[in-house]
Structures are given as structure tokens and as C-alpha cells.
Amino acid sequence: MRKNLLDFSYEELIEEFNKLGLEKFRVDQVWDWIYKKKVFSFSEMTNLSKEHREALSDRFLINIPELLDMQISQIDKTTKFLWKLEDGNTIESVLLFHPDRVTACISSQVGCPAKCAFCATGQSGFVRNLSAGEIVAQVIAMEKERRVNIGNVVYMGMGEPLLNYNEVVKSVKMLNHKKGKNMSMRRISISTVGIPERIVQLGNDLPEVKLAISLHAPTNFKRDMIVPMNKKYSVEEIIHAAKEYQRITKNRVTFEYILIREFNDFVDDAEKLAELLRGMGAYVNLIPINPVPTIGEIKMERPHHWAIERFKEVLDKHNIENEIRKEKGTDIDAACGQLRRRHIDKKKA
């Protein structure tokens, strides 16, 4: 059975190529075709001999996902992709356009086991982890499809990255490798719902990569209601791990806080959040929720504008740096999981 060449690190490929009698510089050539020229067929790699191309074709595939759907915002060019993987499963990726950079939001799993109440991905269930090659392929495929150079990558798409730790770390190193995408570690962010031991491990393994923690509530009582994994990893454990991560890396931690109307948008919530983060030098992303179906007794509705501003004012008062996230792609299915879920629903109909 042929293997996905994108699943191999540069060093692993040197070993694989050596088995075929191919020198190290042939790996450089192949990676240049893939990462720089966006060529995914060995037959088109013209600086390799016919014999070498045939040998590689017999042993490897270059698995780039198939584009099933693409939505482009008429407001800000935000682009949502639905990809079909080799086994027929689907994942999403997003391109975000800023004045000075293009950011890719990529997935690390098919579905998600975290099952956060406000997330369409979690509501569709967990299927499997992505391989490092399937993670990296999203970046390459988006660059080719939209003819852009991606400058930043955020692991904030489908899935919980720290529950697919080894493949995520491997994919980061592949994107960072000077022979590949050559992306600075500091331009890569990993978002997690909070797996304490992995947060600390990430600080040791990838100290330059940025960390974002999806907190969404300042107390265990409220967080238990919207983030099921909080029953395993408490708010206190997550904050302790974040502080240890900061001690190791000297990096500032970003906390994502989805604001849900009359659930976690009260002054008391803001006061408790400020107290929780006091002295950390943390940064808080305030995110008015993208409405999803009501879960239990909690109506997943966007707060009133004045409630969002009131929450921000409390954090400002306590010198907690924060920002209300500017929405992108509001005219398309930009929220994570929406496009995939719609595709699944269509197949069932």
C-alpha cells in the first residue's frame, strides 16, 4: 500500500528516500515542488528522472484533500473550505484576510470529542484524529486554491488539538521547517479547551508557539454546563497549567471567552474572570456567540451590545487586556462546523 508522503517529516523522508537509493537533495526537490510550486503529482516533477518519478509513485501518494465546497465572503474575503479526505470524511478550514497578513484556521480532527455546547463541530460528534500530513495539506491546498501566501496558522478549526498531540506537534514542525513552509513558530497558535498536562508539555516541546485557551466561564459551575470536559479538568487546574506554561515559555496566554446572552455575560462573571486572571498579564478575546440550537436550558444567543460593552469595561477597570473580536465572514457559514454539518444533513436527506 502506498503511503502519504505528506505524513513524513523531512528527516523521515531522507530515510525513506535512502531506501530507494535517492540522495538527500531529492527530498529538497520534492518538498520544493509541493510546498513552493504546489505540484502534487510526481509525474510533473521535471527535475527528477523518469525512473525516480516512477519509483516514488510506486511507494508514495501526495494526498491533498478534495474541495467539496467553498464560500467566499463578499464583505471581507473570508473563505470557508469543506474538504473531502481520502477515506470520505470531511473537514473544514478557513482563510482570514487582514491588511498585513493572511491567516489559515485549520482542523486537527474529524469532528471533536470535546462536545462544547456552543460549537456545531462538537454537536456532530468525533470520528478520528487527522494525521500530520492531513493537517499540513489544508494549508498547502488553500494556498493553491486561492493563490495566496499564508503567513499565520491557527489550530482553531475542527477538533481539540491537544487530544491529537503528537500529530499536531509534528505538523507544526513541518510547517516551520526551512525546506517546507518555513513559517516562524511565533506565527503559529494552538487553541485548546484546556488539557493541563498537555499545556505544560506544549510549553516544553514548542515554546515559541502561541497558546490560546477556550475558557468561556470563570467558574466550574457555569463552565460545566457548556464545556463537558471541565468535569475532568477544572478551571483551577487549567489556570495552574497556564501559569506553568508562562513560567516555561515567558509567553503571554490568550483566553477565548464566548459571550452568551444572560448566561456568562453578567458583571459578576467579568469580575470573577478578572480575579481569576489577575497578575497573569493575560489577553482576553471576547467573542459574541454565533447562535446555535439551544442546549438544555441555555439559549445560545448573542448578548445585547450594551452587555458586551459592560463586560469589557469591567475587564478594563481591572487592567485585563482584552478585545471584542471583530467578526469576519458574517455572510457565509463561517462558524466552525456549520458547513460540514450542512453537508452531512444534505447526505442524510
Side-chain angles (χ1 to χ4, degrees), residues 60-327:
F60 299 106
L61 291 166
I62 302 172
N63 278 341
I64 299 297
E66 176 189 345
L67 182 63
L68 288 183
D69 196 358
M70 179 173 67
Q71 297 182 346
I72 302 175
S73 169
Q74 299 304 305
I75 299 171
D76 54 27
K77 296 196 300 183
T78 295
T79 307
K80 184 76 173 279
F81 301 85
L82 181 68
W83 306 106
K84 182 180 177 181
L85 302 174
E86 193 72 11
D87 63 359
N89 279 304
T90 54
I91 57 171
E92 294 178 357
S93 313
V94 182
L95 274 185
L96 303 166
F97 293 84
H98 309 275
D100 59 340
R101 68 191 185 283
V102 178
T103 298
C105 179
I106 60 175
S107 296
S108 56
Q109 296 178 313
V110 179
C112 183
K115 298 182 179 177
C116 297
F118 46 80
C119 178
T121 298
Q123 291 177 24
S124 66
F126 172 69
V127 180
R128 67 171 176 84
N129 287 326
L130 296 182
S131 69
E134 289 173 321
I135 295 170
V136 169
Q138 295 169 67
V139 177
I140 302 169
M142 284 190 284
E143 286 192 326
K144 180 167 186 176
E145 196 66 44
R146 294 287 277 136
R147 298 182 181 179
V148 295
N149 178 38
I150 292 170
N152 294 65
V153 168
V154 294
Y155 287 71
M156 293 183 184
M158 290 169 47
E160 166 50 57
L162 298 191
L163 289 179
N164 187 17
Y165 187 82
N166 291 337
E167 295 302 305
V168 164
V169 168
K170 184 176 182 179
S171 69
V172 168
K173 291 178 178 179
M174 289 160 68
L175 289 171
N176 169 251
H177 200 285
K178 63 182 180 181
K179 298 289 187 179
K181 178 65 183 151
N182 195 24
M183 179 177 289
S184 167
M185 291 277 190
R186 296 185 183 279
R187 292 185 175 273
I188 299 173
S189 299
I190 292 177
S191 176
T192 176
V193 74
I195 317 294
E197 63 272 21
R198 293 300 194 195
I199 288 172
V200 176
Q201 187 178 354
L202 185 71
N204 285 302
D205 292 342
L206 297 174
E208 292 181 58
V209 167
K210 294 178 181 177
L211 174 68
I213 296 176
S214 296
L215 195 62
H216 311 313
T219 65
N220 289 314
F221 175 73
K222 284 195 175 181
R223 198 167 189 262
D224 281 350
M225 296 170 72
I226 56 173
V227 182
M229 286 187 69
N230 195 69
K231 293 168 185 172
K232 184 174 182 180
Y233 305 110
S234 69
V235 169
E236 291 77 19
E237 289 176 285
I238 292 167
I239 296 299
H240 178 76
K243 289 179 177 178
E244 180 64 10
Y245 168 89
Q246 283 187 310
R247 185 192 67 77
I248 295 166
T249 66
K250 306 299 185 290
N251 292 343
R252 179 168 69 167
V253 176
T254 294
F255 288 90
E256 311 280 349
Y257 194 99
I258 284 182
L259 288 161
I260 304 168
R261 182 187 297 187
E262 297 178 358
F263 173 72
N264 64 352
D265 63 346
F266 297 106
V267 168
D268 183 57
D269 295 309
E271 291 282 356
K272 286 176 179 173
L273 179 62
E275 177 60 26
L276 193 67
L277 303 182
R278 184 164 55 88
M280 288 184 67
Y283 182 84
V284 178
N285 248 331
L286 297 173
I287 310 165
I289 189 172
N290 273 304
V292 294
T294 297
I295 303 295
E297 297 179 1
I298 305 170
K299 291 184 179 180
M300 297 293 167
E301 297 177 350
R302 189 177 299 249
H304 297 290
H305 177 74
W306 56 263
I308 298 169
E309 293 295 334
R310 179 183 66 184
F311 199 100
K312 176 176 174 53
E313 286 170 7
V314 173
L315 296 184
D316 289 341
K317 180 184 72 175
H318 290 284
N319 297 314
I320 303 293
E321 192 173 348
N322 68 91
E323 182 178 21
I324 300 169
R325 180 180 288 178
K326 294 180 178 65
E327 291 184 278

